């Protein structure tokens, strides 16, 4: 599946957009209002402290 996704991105967006890593998860972290916490995803990818997570949906 990961290889298929990588190839699809290469065909549609070009080799410059090929992802270095693909992670398959059950669910994305969301706030109580349903917005995806992109800040948390970015921090995890960079190995940084995610900061305040009080708005994270339980």
């Amino acid at each position: 599946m990961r290889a298929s996704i990588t190839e699809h991105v290469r065909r549609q967006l070009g080799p410059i957009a090929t992802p270095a890593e693909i992670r398959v998860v059950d669910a994305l972290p969301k706030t109580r209002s349903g917005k995806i916490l992109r800040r948390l995803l970015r921090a995890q990818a960079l190995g940084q402290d995610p900061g305040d997570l009080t708005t994270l949906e339980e």
Side-chain angles (χ1 to χ4, degrees), residues 28-31 35-45:
L28 294 174
K30 294 184 180 183
T31 63
K35 294 180 181 177
I36 296 173
L37 281 171
R38 290 181 181 90
R39 173 181 54 84
L40 175 60
L41 297 174
R42 189 178 308 112
Q44 286 178 340

Side-chain angles (χ1 to χ4, degrees), residues 38-58:
R38 290 181 181 90
R39 173 181 54 84
L40 175 60
L41 297 174
R42 189 178 308 112
Q44 286 178 340
L46 298 174
Q48 298 174 344
D49 178 33
D52 182 22
L53 300 176
T54 57
T55 60
L56 190 62
E57 181 181 326
E58 298 293 324

